[in-house]
Structures are given as C-alpha cells and as structure tokens.
Amino acid sequence: MLLSKNKSIVTVVDVQARLLPGVHEHDQLVDNCKWLVRLAHLMDVPVIGSEQYPDGLGHTEDALRDLVGEANLHGKTLFSCIDDSGFEAAFNAHDRQQVVLCGMESHACVVQSVLSMLDKGLEVFVVADAISARNPLDTEIALRRVERAGAQLVTREMVGFEWLRGSDAAEFRTFSKEFLR
C-alpha cells in the first residue's frame, strides 16, 4: 500500500515545548516533525495537530506551531487525538483516509491515537524517525505494537518519495534540493 498525497493528512501529536526537555533526542524529533510538515505544505497535503491538555502543559513548540498553524492545532484531554470530538471533527473535514503520523510520546498519545485510527478504518503510516518518548525502549515497543496492529512504519524520506511517485513530479526538484541534504 503506497501513500498518495491526495489521500494523506499529516497528524502531529503533542509536540509541546514544556514536555520536550525530557524526551529522547527531542531536538531531532522537532526537526523531523518540521521537515515533514514543510514537505506536506510543498505537496499540498493538509496538516492537523493535537496538544495534550494545553492549559496545563502548554503549547506546541513555537517553530512547529507556526508551521502547522494555530488554527490547525486542537487541545485535548484524551490520550488518543482521534477520540477527542473536536479533533475528530476537524480531521474528518479533510476527508482523507491515509494518516501520516508523527509526534510524542510514542507509548502514550501516539500509540493510542494510532490504534484508535486503525479501529476507525483509517490507513495509518507512523513516521518512525519522527516519533519519540522519554525512554527509547517505549518507542521501540510502541513501534512493534502498532505495526502488529496494522500500521505501516515509514521514514520521512519514504513519505516524500511515495507522495512524489517519480522524478518527473513538479515538486521533485524542490524536494531534492531542500529536503535531501
């Protein structure tokens, strides 16, 4: 099953600045999430994000927040973003079946979001180099679990190449210059 830019939506789960210092390789996580969101913009793929209890835990990291757009970020209290009615309504408004998911924490909000999305019949692609948790073991086990449940594990570059499909795509030159460094 290949990704299609016309069927995809990028979902950024809970990359909140206040929580980042405790997350394994958090600078790389933020950079990889930003890379993915910039790629989505290049390919005209919608982006939506969640924030876990933002009144208490704060908001998405500033640069990532700017890229996603404040209007596209939705606060929640449930760990699974898609189980939050406000997020789900905003998500469903895009009418996309393929979810390209990144964020944190792998073993909590990411895994529960993925499993709930699979239960709703969505095709879920977890970007393995754009998720993290405080403990790397939690990420490893979360990846194994979601893969067994039916999610596809991908990398950022895999997403880009699948959305492009070939070097004759209009966006390929920009992709190769700006994203493959």
Side-chain angles (χ1 to χ4, degrees), residues 5-170:
K5 69 179 184 176
N6 298 321
K7 295 179 183 177
S8 294
I9 183 170
V10 170
T11 301
V12 181
V13 177
D14 304 348
V15 185
Q16 290 161 260
R18 193 174 298 166
L19 301 175
L20 281 169
V23 171
H24 179 71
E25 296 182 349
H26 60 273
D27 290 334
Q28 190 67 49
L29 169 69
V30 171
D31 287 346
N32 290 351
C33 289
K34 290 189 308 190
W35 188 100
L36 190 61
V37 172
R38 286 183 21 251
L39 176 65
H41 293 324
L42 172 68
M43 304 296 289
D44 291 321
V45 171
V47 179
I48 190 170
S50 65
E51 296 177 330
Q52 181 66 34
Y53 183 56
D55 290 343
L57 299 175
H59 294 285
T60 300
E61 187 274 338
D62 289 339
L64 184 57
R65 184 177 182 81
D66 290 344
L67 280 172
V68 172
E70 190 169 340
N72 298 317
L73 289 164
H74 303 274
K76 63 182 181 65
T77 56
L78 297 171
F79 296 129
S80 167
C81 61
I82 199 72
D83 290 342
D84 177 86
S85 60
F87 180 95
E88 185 177 26
F91 179 94
N92 288 339
H94 293 286
D95 194 29
R96 300 290 178 118
Q97 289 302 305
Q98 293 183 332
V99 183
V100 177
L101 191 137
C102 63
M104 62 188 227
E105 287 204 34
S106 307
H107 63 299
C109 296
V110 168
V111 76
Q112 289 188 38
S113 295
V114 170
L115 295 174
S116 291
M117 288 172 172
L118 289 169
D119 283 346
K120 293 179 184 293
L122 296 164
E123 297 172 27
V124 184
F125 297 78
V126 178
V127 185
D129 56 345
I131 67 166
S132 192
R134 287 167 285 143
N135 182 340
L137 179 62
D138 286 324
T139 300
E140 178 186 332
I141 299 301
L143 285 170
R144 283 198 232 156
R145 183 173 181 197
V146 298
E147 185 175 36
R148 277 193 314 275
Q152 301 294 311
L153 302 186
V154 294
T155 65
R156 295 171 303 136
E157 285 194 16
M158 289 170 71
V159 172
F161 284 111
E162 287 182 32
W163 281 347
L164 287 165
R165 285 295 202 289
S167 60
D168 58 345

